[in-house]
Amino acid sequence: MFYDTLYRHNQALSPAGLENLTAALHALYAAVDDCQRAGKPVARDAAILLLIRNLADVAECDAPSINDLRLRCRTDRLAVEAAPALLDIAGNSIAGNDHAKRTFHRQARRALTRLVEAIGLDPTDVRITTVQGADHEDGTTELRHPHLAIRVVPRGFLPDSEVSFNRCRDGQDAGKPHHAPIAELLDADAFQRRLTATIGDLGAPRLAVAA
C-alpha cells in the first residue's frame, strides 16, 4: 500500500527551523521515509533533493575547511583503531543485536589473524571461523590449528574469560581449557606469555611436544 503526504514537500519548500544540522538531518530522514511510503524513487524526488541541498548549506555554514575535517577524521579513525569496539562489547550480551554481533566477530577474526603471525604459527595450518548462532545467541569465533584451539565469545561464564584456549592433538581437543580476558587477545606478547605458562612453549613442533 502506497500513499503520499505533504510532509516532505512542506519541509522542502519552507525549511524554517531547519537551520541547524540536527534538525536538517532529522527532516531529511523523515522525508526519505515519507517518500518510500509514497512508493516514489528517493533519488529523483524533488523534495528530497531540496532537503539534501538545505543540509549541505547548513553543514557548510560553520564547518571548518575540508583539510581540517579530513585531519580530524583521520585522528578519530586512529582513536577507533587504538580501542577496538570488541573491548567495549565484551562482557555484554549481543544476542538480537546483529550490528554488534557482526562487529565483534569481525574484529575477533582480525585479532586472531594478527595473533597467528605474532606467535609464529604457519597460516596454512590455521582455520579461523565464526558461528553467528541464532538470534538469541552471541556467536563464537574460533581459531583451529593442529596443536591449538582458541575460542572467542562476547561473554564468558566468568568475568574476563571471553577467550578460551586449549592444546590440540592433530586438530582434536587434547587438553583442559584455559581462559583469558579479551584485552589479551589484542596484546600478542601478553597472550604468548599466557600460552607458554599454561600449555607450553609456542610453535607447532613445541606444542606437539608439550601435548
Side-chain angles (χ1 to χ4, degrees), residues 87-174:
L87 292 175
D88 295 317
I89 295 171
N92 298 284
S93 173
I94 55 176
N97 188 333
D98 289 341
H99 187 272
K101 187 183 288 191
R102 288 194 304 272
T103 299
F104 179 89
H105 290 293
R106 181 174 62 251
Q107 293 191 3
R109 289 193 300 273
R110 188 181 305 156
L112 287 171
T113 300
R114 291 172 178 166
L115 184 67
V116 166
E117 179 179 358
I119 66 178
L121 297 179
D122 185 344
T124 62
D125 291 333
V126 173
R127 185 175 76 255
I128 298 174
T129 58
T130 293
V131 177
Q132 296 277 3
D135 286 345
H136 65 280
E137 296 173 323
D138 291 331
T140 303
T141 292
E142 182 180 58
L143 177 152
R144 274 279 169 183
H145 179 272
H147 305 293
L148 176 67
I150 303 175
R151 299 172 189 84
V152 186
V153 296
R155 280 191 310 171
F157 289 113
L158 297 172
D160 296 327
S161 62
E162 299 87 8
V163 181
S164 62
F165 58 95
N166 58 270
R167 288 196 306 257
C168 291
R169 185 175 288 110
D170 296 327
Q172 301 300 313
D173 294 336

Side-chain angles (χ1 to χ4, degrees), residues 62-76:
D62 300 316
S65 69
I66 292 294
N67 287 338
D68 287 342
L69 289 173
R70 291 184 66 84
L71 179 61
R72 282 169 48 185
C73 189
R74 289 193 188 99
T75 301
D76 291 344

Side-chain angles (χ1 to χ4, degrees), residues 4 7 10 19 25 30 53 61 108 112 121 123 139 178 184 200-201 208:
D4 209 349
Y7 170 79
N10 290 340
E19 294 86 4
L25 272 172
R53 292 189 179 186
C61 281
L112 287 171
L121 297 179
H178 303 272
E184 281 193 15
D201 205 355

